[in-house]
Amino acid sequence: MGFDRRFTLGLIAWVGALVAVLLACIAAFVTPASARRGSSRSESPPRPLQGFGGT
């Protein structure tokens, strides 16, 4: 009986670790490269609107 419980708990721990690694890999591919570099600024600043009272 003790063997079955240890096997089950070990299997649950292994599956949990596998899920954590898979989620980390997915997050690495989904996260934009600028966020991974630690850059706090965007690639280019927004351009001002033209033709609304400005020059």
Side-chain angles (χ1 to χ4, degrees):
M1 178 94 159
F3 174 77
D4 292 335
R5 175 171 272 183
R6 284 182 298 175
F7 177 77
T8 303
L9 292 177
L11 187 62
I12 291 170
W14 186 83
V15 169
L18 181 63
V19 168
V21 168
L22 288 175
L23 288 176
C25 290
I26 291 170
F29 282 109
V30 171
T31 306
S34 62
R36 286 195 302 262
R37 285 192 305 260
S39 174
S40 61
R41 62 181 178 87
S42 63
E43 284 77 17
S44 62
R47 296 179 56 163
L49 296 174
Q50 299 292 325
F52 291 101
T55 55

